[in-house]
Amino acid sequence: MQRRSFLKTAAMGSLAWCAGPATDRLSAAAGVAASQGGSSEAGIEILPGEAIGVIRPDIYGHFVEHLGAVVYDGIWVGEQSKVPNIGGLRKALVEALRAVRPGVIRWPGGCFADSYNWRDGIGPRSQRPRRGSFWADDSAWPPGCPDGPWKYETNEFGTNEFVRFCRLVGAQPYFAANVRSLSPKDFYEWIDYCNAPAGATTLAASRAATGDRDPLGVRNWGVGNESWGCGGNFRPEEYAAEYRRFIEWVPRFGQNLTFIASGPNGGDLEWTRRFFAAMRERRSLGSVAGWALHHYSWNVSGGRTQDWSKGKGAAVGYPVSEWFELLNEANRMETLIADHWAAMGEADPQHRVKLVVDEWGAWYKPGSQVDPTHLFGQQSTMRDAVLAGLTLDTFNRHVDKVMMANVAQLVNTLHALFLAHEDQFLVTPTYHVFAMHQAHQGGRAVRSVFTAPPASYAENGRSVALPGLAGSASLHDRRLVLTVTNPDPQQAREAAITVRDAKPGGVRVTTLVAGSIQTVNTFDRPDAIRPVEKTLAATPGGRLTHTFPAASVTKLEMDLT
Ligand code: AHR
């Protein structure tokens, strides 16, 4: 698609994109009864006495890769830009991201990380080298896409710029080290550059020359990325040997460092078992703090393929069958966590190693990006908001197992919170879900029981059943935060909400829902999807009933007595 038609598409409102409300096509297609009203067969019971663990801000983490327009055009606009910026960083994005309290941000990849030399991104910006990006040759670039930093990395945004960005938004940095094409010594020296005390080493002096006299204090280090694929195409045993070469006797400069090993692709339990067995055999498991799982959701009706851009469904204008298929795929997160946790426990029965889901989100075929230079850019509908709600609630329910998670990616790529191009900027429905769910951070996750008839879809002998309602709850002294997703694209669901041994007081409700499941926020209509708030009256007797709209994400906050 040519640049002109991309821009036209981006400027169109939601109505222009959908062939009609999804419900029209749904009732014609698949025998699911339409209903505007609620069904009262659902119930949500919160059990404040059954704590799961503290909800760490790190499970509300993000991912920034030098890919398409995440960094250049997304975050980094440059100090001389007419786009309002803070030292070159897009100001609107900094402010909006800070508001959702990001726990941690992973950088610089992804696959890019295993080609990246951190030395290219330090020192005076005008003297930094220009290199071909890992992504320059990708087949998903549209024909005629111009060259620029998205293909030829300028290295204007490097270690110091990234850490400055993290500090501005209040997040911890999480670096992914290059295992495929650099050595352990390069890794030690990156740690030296970041963490050596001021004036102590030659690299600390280089850091000071780039603008940071004091240590950057980078604690989280990923050792490679997708080492089963773009990170080296290793066998698990080979990667385990590489991992040990990188982290045994690593210089720490007095810092407590957290090392995260490159874990499986989705349900590949074999990768987990064999890496853990190899590490146990060398008595090295104690050096692993986190085990990184990646899980993307895409529609496979077109057949699976290794090509990044093929065999996927559309981001907008999709049939209802793909709503169900995609969310069902996303909801596998629950099983993936349970299965890998069990496999990890075979070699690590004390479960000292925790899961890190450092790439998750929806992935669609190209066509809805706001500019041709935005490789893997895509628009976002309520399907993505519901996916985010389902996933964040899953993490909340498993805070005893998942120590960190990072949605892929922050801006302009895949399941983004923001879309930005030149001086245009918007927040996606996914951003609003993060804004709602951040109320859980720091609270104690407690068990909740959801009972609701499933949301189901059947067509041509294939059927999918999603949970009727799903969610999570956390306690903050006597304040309860409950988030609930209704993944049914058509059926609103009324549920009786009870809190065991407590009575809910005044309830504040925030709801994210759209006119159609095809609606998107555009630069012309940036608020087409935004949350609405209301207050429910106190409930004498402790009974509370609420109707969750179809295709919605809801947060309820209540004071318990
Ligand atoms: O997020 C895009 C790519 O997906 C990442 O670079 C890689 O780790 C994953 O396969």
Side-chain angles (χ1 to χ4, degrees), residues 4-76:
R4 182 182 295 224
S5 48
F6 265 97
L7 294 175
K8 190 168 156 224
T9 308
M12 288 194 300
S14 58
L15 284 177
W17 268 8
C18 53
T23 46
D24 298 349
R25 296 194 306 284
L26 175 61
S27 27
V32 179
S35 161
Q36 296 305 315
S39 134
S40 53
E41 299 155 329
I44 302 171
E45 187 184 14
I46 320 293
L47 307 164
E50 298 193 29
I52 305 166
V54 173
I55 299 183
R56 296 158 52 107
D58 287 5
I59 63 174
Y60 292 82
H62 300 273
F63 174 34
V64 166
E65 177 165 8
H66 288 244
L67 190 175
V70 182
V71 173
Y72 304 110
D73 203 19
I75 298 171
W76 181 257

Side-chain angles (χ1 to χ4, degrees), residues 308-326:
W308 300 104
S309 59
K310 302 219 172 80
K312 300 186 170 68
V316 191
Y318 49 86
V320 163
S321 57
E322 292 190 1
W323 165 285
F324 277 90
E325 183 187 43
L326 190 97

Side-chain angles (χ1 to χ4, degrees), residues 63 65 67 110-111 135 225-226 296 308 359 363 409 414:
F63 174 34
E65 177 165 8
L67 190 175
C111 294
W135 295 105
N225 168 75
E226 298 195 347
Y296 286 100
W308 300 104
E359 290 186 31
W363 194 325
Q409 299 198 7
L414 304 179

Side-chain angles (χ1 to χ4, degrees), residues 74-377:
I75 298 171
W76 181 257
V77 293
E79 284 166 319
Q80 308 309 324
S81 172
K82 66 177 174 18
V83 179
N85 66 83
I86 308 171
L89 302 163
R90 185 184 286 273
K91 187 165 182 273
L93 187 145
V94 166
E95 288 170 352
L97 181 56
R98 185 169 50 213
V100 299
R101 299 198 294 157
V104 62
I105 309 179
R106 179 173 183 245
W107 174 83
C111 294
F112 179 89
D114 278 292
S115 305
Y116 181 62
N117 187 339
W118 62 269
R119 288 187 188 82
D120 292 344
I122 64 168
R125 270 186 221 117
S126 59
Q127 292 170 26
R128 296 185 191 173
R130 192 175 283 247
R131 311 262 186 224
S133 165
F134 171 87
W135 295 105
D137 298 323
D138 199 88
S139 63
W141 290 107
C145 177
D147 289 344
W150 41 90
K151 287 191 181 170
Y152 299 102
E153 174 61 51
T154 60
N155 286 299
E156 279 177 80
F157 187 88
T159 297
N160 301 66
E161 287 78 14
F162 175 67
V163 171
R164 213 165 294 151
F165 175 61
C166 288
R167 287 178 177 166
L168 281 171
V169 301
Q172 284 297 321
Y174 163 25
F175 283 12
N178 179 344
V179 170
R180 192 192 69 228
S181 58
L182 289 184
S183 70
K185 185 161 182 290
D186 296 295
F187 179 49
Y188 302 164
E189 289 176 359
W190 201 8
I191 296 176
D192 179 339
Y193 179 83
C194 292
N195 292 347
T201 66
T202 302
L203 286 168
S206 310
R207 183 185 69 221
T210 310
D212 287 285
R213 181 185 168 276
D214 294 324
L216 301 176
V218 180
R219 290 201 303 264
N220 301 306
W221 294 89
V223 182
N225 168 75
E226 298 195 347
S227 301
W228 40 265
C230 64
N233 198 13
F234 293 115
R235 294 192 183 87
E237 295 78 11
E238 292 167 338
Y239 171 64
E242 290 296 321
Y243 179 91
R244 290 192 302 270
R245 270 175 13 100
F246 271 66
I247 57 85
E248 302 282 2
W249 311 108
V250 71
R252 290 170 192 265
F253 299 99
Q255 290 260 345
N256 217 348
L257 302 183
T258 297
F259 294 113
I260 294 158
S262 169
N265 182 18
D268 185 358
L269 295 175
E270 173 92 349
W271 179 267
T272 294
R273 285 203 177 96
R274 286 171 56 184
F275 173 85
F276 271 65
M279 292 295 282
R280 186 178 56 175
E281 195 236 309
R282 301 300 306 148
R283 299 179 193 278
S284 285
L285 258 183
S287 67
V288 187
W291 181 235
L293 161 71
H294 290 181
H295 174 49
Y296 286 100
S297 309
W298 57 67
N299 292 109
V300 295
S301 328
R304 277 196 186 276
T305 150
Q306 288 306 307
D307 192 315
W308 300 104
S309 59
K310 302 219 172 80
K312 300 186 170 68
V316 191
Y318 49 86
V320 163
S321 57
E322 292 190 1
W323 165 285
F324 277 90
E325 183 187 43
L326 190 97
L327 293 180
N328 193 41
E329 189 60 23
N331 218 30
R332 280 180 58 219
M333 186 66 82
E334 181 88 27
T335 320
L336 291 173
I337 291 171
D339 290 353
H340 284 290
W341 189 249
M344 290 153 71
E346 292 165 16
D348 178 28
Q350 309 296 322
H351 279 300
R352 281 184 318 200
V353 185
K354 307 289 186 216
L355 277 163
V356 169
V357 186
D358 58 15
E359 290 186 31
W360 65 268
W363 194 325
Y364 305 110
K365 66 183 176 187
S368 68
Q369 62 270 52
V370 299
D371 189 78
T373 59
H374 293 199
L375 185 68
F376 305 148

